[in-house]
Amino acid sequence: MGTLHSKVAVVSGSGRGIGREIALKLAAEGASVVINDLDADPAAETVAAIEAAGGRAVGCVGSVTDEGFGERFVQTAMDAFGGLDIIVNNAGYTWDSVIQKMTDEQWDAIVDVHLKAPFHILRAAQPVISRLVKSANESGQPVSCRKVVNISSLAGLGGNAGQANYAAAKAGVIGLTKALAKEWGRYNVTVNSVAFGLIKTRLTESAADGDGTITVRGQEIKVGVNPGLLAAMEQMIPLGRSGTPAEAAGAVYLLCTPESDYISAQTLVCGGGFNF
């Protein structure tokens, strides 16, 4: 049995990239996982991959910014697996611009997906966790340590030119993490964040031609990094390279294990040794 045997996890944005690797890692260690993606196909593919490896997973398709999504996400875990032990707020993307060119739409979209959506998911989870803890207490059972891992970024710790919206949202995630750690300690819930550095995903891959894009709710958004800039960024990392999604998932997993039961309100930097 894995270290997360019998645990139930929800991972937002887990159809692709880092989120997918987080879901696969948690499932490989025995957790039952609710998979979320904006699109049905990536979510279904991740569910299928987990099931093919002998794990348990179910999909919850939709945007984390939709009204009522938090309640639906949490309820999916309860309906499918009868519990809620691990919450990973991972969903997000970037929409960059220098501040004088940044629109209200850009600001609102990024703050909504990176900060408001985790707030909604955690707010929806509170009555469920409270009820589960009360039930355990009344039956004389030990209250197991539950885990929240919110995904932040080095941009939230040190800022990043062209990312005022993203940096502000990711800094807010750290504040949200610290506040919830104080509120939920009485439920035996640890609340931590992981701040990623340069991780290889479709958002940060080399874009020599400059035309890499993703589509979010009908909006085409340019992604990718100039190869020269990417090489310069990697030279600043002591390990000399960007990280992989699997390595990023490993950092999240550390904060989901029983060995981290007395670690809370912390921000773990997963950046290959890079510091501002």
Side-chain angles (χ1 to χ4, degrees), residues 171-187:
V173 164
I174 294 172
L176 175 65
T177 296
K178 292 180 180 296
L180 261 291
K182 290 179 168 63
E183 287 188 23
W184 285 11
R186 63 195 176 107
Y187 300 130

Side-chain angles (χ1 to χ4, degrees), residues 5 27 44-45 50 54 63 70 72 86 90 110 126 132 146-147 167-168 185 213 247 258 260 268:
H5 175 69
E45 288 169 6
I50 289 172
S63 172
R72 181 163 65 89
I86 298 168
N90 166 79
I110 296 305
Q126 189 280 335
L132 292 170
R146 291 180 167 84
K147 312 283 187 170
T213 63
E247 288 170 327
S260 67
L268 171 64

Side-chain angles (χ1 to χ4, degrees), residues 124-173:
Q126 189 280 335
V128 172
I129 291 173
S130 177
R131 186 171 69 249
L132 292 170
V133 169
K134 183 178 180 181
S135 177
N137 284 331
E138 289 175 346
S139 64
Q141 298 175 348
V143 176
S144 62
C145 186
R146 291 180 167 84
K147 312 283 187 170
V148 174
V149 184
N150 297 318
I151 303 305
S152 185
S153 168
L154 284 177
L157 292 172
N160 198 28
Q163 292 189 320
N165 50 1
Y166 182 71
K170 289 306 192 183
V173 164

Side-chain angles (χ1 to χ4, degrees), residues 38-260:
L38 190 62
D39 303 312
D41 287 347
E45 288 169 6
T46 302
V47 169
I50 289 172
E51 291 179 337
R56 302 173 72 205
V58 66
C60 183
V61 177
S63 172
V64 294
T65 63
D66 285 344
E67 185 176 352
F69 175 83
E71 288 78 8
R72 181 163 65 89
F73 200 27
V74 170
Q75 194 59 47
T76 299
M78 295 301 295
D79 291 345
F81 305 121
L84 181 62
D85 302 287
I86 298 168
I87 300 170
V88 181
N89 283 305
N90 166 79
Y93 60 98
T94 55
W95 193 359
D96 299 346
S97 183
V98 290
I99 196 164
Q100 67 270 24
K101 295 181 180 179
M102 185 173 290
T103 65
D104 285 356
E105 182 185 10
Q106 281 177 278
W107 176 272
D108 290 343
I110 296 305
V111 172
D112 282 354
V113 73
H114 288 283
L115 185 55
K116 192 174 183 180
F119 158 67
H120 282 165
I121 291 168
L122 294 168
R123 184 175 65 183
Q126 189 280 335
V128 172
I129 291 173
S130 177
R131 186 171 69 249
L132 292 170
V133 169
K134 183 178 180 181
S135 177
N137 284 331
E138 289 175 346
S139 64
Q141 298 175 348
V143 176
S144 62
C145 186
R146 291 180 167 84
K147 312 283 187 170
V148 174
V149 184
N150 297 318
I151 303 305
S152 185
S153 168
L154 284 177
L157 292 172
N160 198 28
Q163 292 189 320
N165 50 1
Y166 182 71
K170 289 306 192 183
V173 164
I174 294 172
L176 175 65
T177 296
K178 292 180 180 296
L180 261 291
K182 290 179 168 63
E183 287 188 23
W184 285 11
R186 63 195 176 107
Y187 300 130
N188 199 20
V189 178
T190 67
V191 187
N192 294 288
S193 61
V194 174
F196 292 138
L198 183 60
I199 307 294
K200 285 183 180 178
T201 70
R202 62 185 179 138
L203 302 182
T204 59
E205 63 188 4
S206 178
D209 53 11
D211 64 355
T213 63
I214 59 171
T215 302
V216 180
R217 312 193 88 163
Q219 177 74 49
E220 236 175 69
I221 297 168
K222 184 177 288 189
V223 296
V225 181
N226 175 279
L229 177 60
L230 186 61
M233 292 167 66
E234 290 187 325
Q235 286 179 1
M236 296 173 65
I237 299 169
L239 288 182
R241 61 177 178 83
S242 53
T244 68
E247 288 170 327
V252 174
Y253 168 69
L254 289 175
L255 295 174
C256 295
T257 63
E259 288 80 3
S260 67

